[in-house]
Amino acid sequence: MASSSLFNASLSSLNPNQHPIRRHPSPSLLRHRPVSISCSDNNNTTPIETSVKPPRRTENTIRDDARLHRSTAVNPFSAKYVPFNAPPNSTESYSLDEIVYRSRSGGLLDVEHDMEALKRFDGAYWRDLFDSRVGKSTWPYGSGVWSKKEWVLPEIDDDDIVSAFEGNSNLFWAERFGKRFLEMNDLWVKHCGISHTGSFKDLGMTVLVSQVNRLRKMNRPVVGVGCASTGDTSAALSAYCAAAGIPSIVFLPANKISMAQLVQPIANGAFVLSIDSDFDGCMKLIREVTAELPIYLANSLNSLRLEGQKTAAIEILQQFDWQAPEWVIVPGGNLGNIYAFYKGFKMCQELGLVDRIPRLVCAQAANANPLYLHYKSGWKDFKPMTASTTFASAIQIGDPVSIDRAVYALKQCDGIVEEATEEELMDAMAQADSTGMFICPHTGVALTALFKLRKQGVIAPTDRTVVVSTAHGLKFTQSKVDYHSKVIPDMACRFSNPPVEVKADFGAVMDVLKNYLGSQKIRA
Ligand SMILES: Cc1ncc(COP(=O)(O)O)c(C=O)c1O
Ligand SMILES: N[C@@H](CCOP(=O)(O)O)C(=O)O
């Protein structure tokens, strides 16, 4: 059978039952758990809904309903930009309504929440609030990001929010994969890629585009939103901008992203520039362009994005009934996400929702491993690199903008950095797929890190471990086709499963099947 031909052929108006904490809690509610939801006994932190909702007013949209239910109480929560990891005596800060990406010294920014205001509610309050919003269609809390609105963008008007009800992604118990390949029984895959545009970027983009929507309504000079991308940021940006009627401009490294990723911004009406460079070159260009033109920068250099992405960490805790796992493994490229996970976990600890945070592992492709090399050098002087081609194309990044955030996060949680060769990541992806998943190569990188840490005895068989799957496997079918076709130079493709070509003849089909069933030790 010629492998190259393998895939040729087929390839209410004020509803008393409305949770009061869906609105901004008024100062008078401070120090109390949610009240008047209906009934709850003294020790029971779980609100029990008793009354029946009136039929919805069919002429209302969910935005109209949200307007009707809006609290008139003063919103006690707020957030601002501050220099990332600023010394305690720093007074530098900016309103989130300012267009600013860097601190005065040129460093990164961070979104700082008024933690004192948030702390006026105890951990049980926040757990109940977040739990009460899951699985509903209430605007905007049906979103896994906006269900944590008070911790994300507390001051934005619900009307300005641009959401596809992202988040609330599947936390998949990888039972078969864990048992078969790792002797683990508590292994989970957080499928952030099973989402609106097929990657975790939706979580951050809903926040960023919502804020842009607000800025434009305030007549701030934002004519469009732009990003450099390895394919997922551009897909998310173009979709959310299209939904809001905001122009989007994307800089893509020519011939370095998958066809499925390329077609996303094209279909969503973005202005697409295919640039003869790599991601780092595109990133440099978009930074220069956004400094000159009223185009808002949508990459994770912009700390707003990370406020949405951190909700995936909160969601993991929530899905484990507010118990922290031992390990969370995240593939890293531009390195915003590893910090976002740390930030989400840390906020939950600081606000009393959990008593500890997991250790984080950042996994990089060996062909694009500047963080790994930095870690291995004992965090001595960081050296950007020119990243080589990798099947994990969305993390082919040599000069990550969030390097400082990543190092900080990993140091704070006793984190680890691992790497995966091309063969390792492709094998891991194929192994995962063979147990019923359909993951992307970046998740293959994270699974390789898990294989290595299990082998070294760092991760124990019973450790509750979460691997973050960052994109949908359907965006990366060509790499799977190549692997299963065994056409990748210098790769054994040990787990390939090519189709068998057979004549349309009963005898021939029976022969092939008997051979197969025999090899599988299956009795017909
Ligand atoms: C699918 C996928 N996985 C992982 C990453 C890495 O995320 P980060 O750049 O935040 O490190 C990216 C983007 O960089 C991505 O698109
Ligand atoms: N993988 C990313 C790379 C850019 O990352 P960002 O989080 O800084 O936007 C992409 O898909 O473009």
Side-chain angles (χ1 to χ4, degrees), residues 379-391:
W379 300 124
K380 295 209 190 74
D381 75 297
F382 172 73
K383 288 192 196 68
M385 63 190 293
T386 301
S388 307
T389 306
T390 167
F391 281 106

Side-chain angles (χ1 to χ4, degrees), residues 200-201 228-234 261 279 283 298-301 305 309 334 394-395 397 401:
F200 72 97
K201 305 287 178 177
S229 183
T230 53
D232 291 323
T233 297
S234 44
Q261 290 173 309
F279 170 80
M283 188 70 223
N299 283 102
S300 58
L301 177 65
R305 280 263 312 279
Q309 289 174 211
N334 222 10
I395 53 174
I397 296 173
V401 300

Side-chain angles (χ1 to χ4, degrees), residues 107-160:
L108 293 162
L109 293 175
D110 198 16
V111 173
E112 183 180 85
H113 289 265
D114 180 349
M115 293 297 278
E116 290 316 307
L118 293 170
K119 278 180 186 161
R120 275 137 89 191
F121 294 82
D122 64 11
Y125 173 92
W126 291 115
R127 286 195 299 260
D128 286 349
L129 176 61
F130 297 158
D131 286 346
S132 75
R133 290 169 172 169
V134 175
K136 306 279 168 60
S137 59
T138 315
W139 185 265
Y141 306 120
S143 154
V145 171
W146 297 107
S147 63
K148 282 100 188 161
K149 184 184 173 199
E150 295 81 356
W151 293 24
V152 174
L153 267 193
E155 290 157 287
I156 196 164
D157 193 301
D158 289 352
D159 258 357
D160 295 341

Side-chain angles (χ1 to χ4, degrees), residues 278-312:
D278 57 9
F279 170 80
D280 298 299
C282 292
M283 188 70 223
K284 186 169 172 289
L285 282 168
I286 194 77
R287 282 169 70 169
E288 287 165 0
V289 166
T290 51
E292 290 292 318
L293 297 175
I295 296 173
Y296 194 79
L297 180 66
N299 283 102
S300 58
L301 177 65
N302 187 326
S303 44
L304 276 180
R305 280 263 312 279
L306 306 182
E307 291 309 291
Q309 289 174 211
K310 81 183 180 195
T311 62

Side-chain angles (χ1 to χ4, degrees), residues 349-481:
Q349 186 187 31
E350 277 182 30
L351 292 166
L353 285 76
V354 291
D355 54 10
R356 62 174 185 86
I357 67 169
R359 286 180 72 184
L360 293 175
V361 178
C362 188
Q364 293 211 293
N367 284 356
N369 62 354
L371 179 74
Y372 175 76
L373 296 178
H374 189 34
Y375 170 76
K376 282 291 179 190
S377 76
W379 300 124
K380 295 209 190 74
D381 75 297
F382 172 73
K383 288 192 196 68
M385 63 190 293
T386 301
S388 307
T389 306
T390 167
F391 281 106
S393 54
I395 53 174
Q396 190 184 326
I397 296 173
D399 190 7
V401 300
S402 286
I403 181 69
D404 294 347
R405 291 173 175 142
V407 172
Y408 175 86
L410 290 161
K411 283 184 180 169
Q412 292 296 314
C413 69
D414 195 14
I416 294 176
V417 188
E418 258 302 347
E419 66 170 357
T421 66
E422 292 302 289
E423 180 146 22
E424 287 168 340
L425 73 91
M426 291 298 280
D427 280 348
M429 177 173 78
Q431 287 169 277
D433 288 357
S434 76
T435 64
M437 290 182 257
F438 197 74
I439 60 165
C440 68
H442 320 83
T443 311
V445 172
L447 288 174
T448 302
L450 173 60
F451 275 121
K452 291 184 174 178
L453 294 171
R454 274 287 299 117
K455 199 167 169 199
Q456 294 160 21
V458 176
I459 297 185
T462 52
D463 282 356
R464 174 167 279 182
T465 303
V466 178
V467 171
V468 177
S469 178
T470 45
H472 203 297
L474 285 171
K475 287 193 177 198
F476 299 93
T477 47
Q478 190 58 51
S479 63
K480 292 177 191 282
V481 169

Side-chain angles (χ1 to χ4, degrees), residues 308-364:
Q309 289 174 211
K310 81 183 180 195
T311 62
I314 306 170
E315 224 172 78
I316 288 173
L317 299 177
Q318 185 170 27
Q319 286 167 314
F320 286 134
D321 222 358
W322 304 105
Q323 302 286 319
E326 267 74 40
W327 297 95
V328 174
I329 307 177
V330 187
N334 222 10
L335 300 181
N337 212 27
I338 188 79
Y339 176 68
F341 269 89
Y342 168 75
K343 191 171 183 183
F345 288 131
K346 194 68 195 165
M347 274 186 89
C348 286
Q349 186 187 31
E350 277 182 30
L351 292 166
L353 285 76
V354 291
D355 54 10
R356 62 174 185 86
I357 67 169
R359 286 180 72 184
L360 293 175
V361 178
C362 188
Q364 293 211 293

